[in-house]
């Protein structure tokens, strides 16, 4: 059965990701008093991009053409590994938080190369900023993984889900700190406000948009889809580690799967609304303050580990 | 681990986190707001200790923390800031990043110090002491790294929050002591207010940097 659920999960990731982005945009529009596009608008955008003619820069190499496919497939693979509605998946033995970080890091690497490939100045600016954010976010992410592995004794998300559902952690301070740190990292990695504004094309502030400025047609569709899938991945990751209630474990049968799917839908919707409200309430940050923001995430994760040692010494 | 213990641990850590929040903030209004939230968290910690230790007088401590430190002091500081016209960016003597790093090192230091000393105490007391000492050290750090007089006063108040946190965690702390601490802080607040006016009158600024030249250090 695990293969069936794995395929279902992989399809679900791609099918739900544009909806998640659409809901976030819709919530943000409503909160600032606009009517907002329908939540299914991102699907229409992707289909439109897929139909459009591909325009390639003269200096574009094979790397530029290959990058969208690599980025999308790496992100998709990572998203398929996070247990969303069941832990009974085919890829679970390979799924590991460190693997996830590595897959996303590889995707970012190719995107950065593609940003530099054409040789425009915007691509270069975007790439250098993206790499700066990545180099700050990754230590924080690994520190969070470290804290979780000390708490649950494993770095596999599925085993962490089992551990939390069995009540092995309880009310733990370190878990709360790790949650805040992971939210900060997720905001930075997905280029949301206050790090990067996904809706802007202002040359002074854009990060992700600057990197993919030269893409068009189906390449752009793939890259947009990849960033949507990455947002879904982080929401699923937060949901599965910190709120695993409802996730079906192996041996629970079809009813368990249905409960898992329903709770997953509810968590995603909640995450989308929360993100929309958060982004409306906060202003974008100056580039030079990124280090403070992500340094805060790193320090929270370090603090979580330190506090853990206090309570384990008891 | 039982729920009483975990919840006390959680609230203590919340107070500590808000201490870091104080270090992270640059703007005066945000610093004062964070301080108010920290005092409210402290009141929560005191109330929770009153509940689990079954000692009703700690509820009074909680009420004092809530009314004086979470409402009156922030309100008075805000009023001062508006009156003196200094609602601008806080100048820090050290950058935010290094300050936070020193802060984490101080937390580690206080844990290393407290844990061996209190081998015989109960787990709850021990952790509470470690957390409270970290809050005290963070308050001190804030007083050192900030130049602006108002944020230094907030650092002092945060330090005092740590003292109260340590006091409520220890069984049998008499109410008189806590009352006198609370009132002395209020008196200190009034004195600071007067000092702000004097400093402001003399130097046209609340940046204590100018005091150094006055003392002949530069």
């Amino acid at each position: 059965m695990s293969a069936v659920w794995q395929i279902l999960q992989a399809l679900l990731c791609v099918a739900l990701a544009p909806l998640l982005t659409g809901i976030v945009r819709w919530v943000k529009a409503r909160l600032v008093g606009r009517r907002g596009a329908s939540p299914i608008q991102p699907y229409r955008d992707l289909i439109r991009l897929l139909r459009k003619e591909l325009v390639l820069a003269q200096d574009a190499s094979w790397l530029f053409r290959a990058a969208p496919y690599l980025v999308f497939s790496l992100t998709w693979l990572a998203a398929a590994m996070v247990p969303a509605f069941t832990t009974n998946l085919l890829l679970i033995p390979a799924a590991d938080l460190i693997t996830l970080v590595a897959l996303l890091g590889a995707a970012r690497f190719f995107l950065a190369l593609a940003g530099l490939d054409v040789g425009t100045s915007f691509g270069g600016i975007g790439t250098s900023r993206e790499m700066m954010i990545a180099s700050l976010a990754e230590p924080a992410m690994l520190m969070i993984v470290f804290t979780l592995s000390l708490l649950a004794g494993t770095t596999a998300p599925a085993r962490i889900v089992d551990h939390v559902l069995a009540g092995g952690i309880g009310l733990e301070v370190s878990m709360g700190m790790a949650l805040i740190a992971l939210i900060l990292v997720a905001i930075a990695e997905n280029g949301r406000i206050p790090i990067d504004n996904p809706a802007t094309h202002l040359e002074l502030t854009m990060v992700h948009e600057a990197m993919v400025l030269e893409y068009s047609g189906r390449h752009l569709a793939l890259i947009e889809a990849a960033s949507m899938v990455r947002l879904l991945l982080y929401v699923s990751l937060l949901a599965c580690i910190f709120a695993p209630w409802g996730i079906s474990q192996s041996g629970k049968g079809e009813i368990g799967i249905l409960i898992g799917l329903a709770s997953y839908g509810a968590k995603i919707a909640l995450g989308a609304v929360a993100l929309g409200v958060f982004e409306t309430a906060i202003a974008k940050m100056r580039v030079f303050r990124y280090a403070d923001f992500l340094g805060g995430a790193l320090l929270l994760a370090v603090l979580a580990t330190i506090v853990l040692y206090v309570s384990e010494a008891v | 681990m039982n729920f009483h213990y975990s919840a006390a641990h959680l609230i203590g850590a919340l107070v500590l986190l808000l201490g870091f929040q104080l270090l992270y903030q640059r703007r005066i209004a945000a610093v004062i707001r964070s301080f108010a939230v920290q005092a409210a968290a402290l009141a929560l910690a005191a109330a929770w200790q009153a509940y689990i230790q079954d000692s009703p007088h700690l509820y009074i401590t909680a009420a004092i923390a809530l009314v004086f430190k979470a409402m009156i002091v922030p309100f008075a500081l805000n009023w001062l800031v508006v009156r003196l016209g200094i609602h601008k960016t806080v100048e820090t003597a050290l950058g935010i990043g290094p300050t936070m790093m020193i802060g984490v090192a101080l937390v580690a230091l206080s844990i290393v110090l407290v844990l061996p000393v209190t081998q015989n105490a109960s787990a709850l007391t021990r952790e509470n002491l470690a957390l409270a000492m970290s809050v005290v050290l963070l308050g001190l750090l804030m007083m050192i790294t900030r130049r602006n007089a108002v944020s230094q006063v907030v650092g002092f108040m945060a330090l005092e929050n740590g003292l109260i946190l340590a006091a409520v965690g220890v069984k049998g702390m008499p109410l008189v002591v806590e009352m006198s601490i609370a009132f002395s802080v209020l008196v200190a607040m009034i004195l600071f207010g007067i000092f702000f006016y004097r400093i402001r009158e003399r130097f046209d600024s609340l940046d204590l940097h100018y005091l150094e030249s006055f003392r002949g250090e530069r």
Side-chain angles (χ1 to χ4, degrees), chain A residues 58-82:
Chain A
Q58 247 174 3
D59 303 323
S61 71
W62 61 270
L63 197 64
F64 187 78
R65 291 193 300 275
Y69 301 99
L70 283 166
V71 169
F72 181 74
S73 46
L74 286 167
T75 315
W76 192 13
L77 180 61
M81 279 183 173
V82 180

Side-chain angles (χ1 to χ4, degrees), chain A residues 13-14 17-18 20-21 71-72 74-76 78-79 82 100-101 103-109 111-112 130 133-134 185-192 196 198 207-209 211-212 222-238:
Chain A
C13 284
V14 178
L20 174 66
T21 306
V71 169
F72 181 74
L74 286 167
T75 315
W76 192 13
V82 180
L100 278 183
V101 175
L103 282 173
L104 292 174
R108 183 186 293 110
F109 171 71
L111 197 57
E130 177 88 357
I133 295 171
V185 169
I187 287 170
E189 294 264 9
N190 284 297
R192 312 298 304 192
D196 181 17
V207 179
H208 186 256
E209 293 303 319
M211 233 181 349
V212 302
L222 276 173
I223 284 180
E224 296 275 327
S227 64
M228 290 169 188
V229 170
R230 195 170 50 186
L231 182 62
L232 184 82
L233 182 158
Y234 272 97
V235 175
S236 317
L237 190 65
L238 281 165

Side-chain angles (χ1 to χ4, degrees), chain A residues 1-14 76-95 158 257 261:
Chain A
M1 271 329 255
S2 61
V4 178
W5 303 137
Q6 182 64 68
I7 293 167
L8 179 62
Q9 154 132 11
L11 293 178
L12 210 59
C13 284
V14 178
W76 192 13
L77 180 61
M81 279 183 173
V82 180
F85 58 91
T86 175
T87 56
N88 186 17
L89 297 173
L90 192 65
L91 282 175
I92 280 303
I257 296 286
L261 282 172

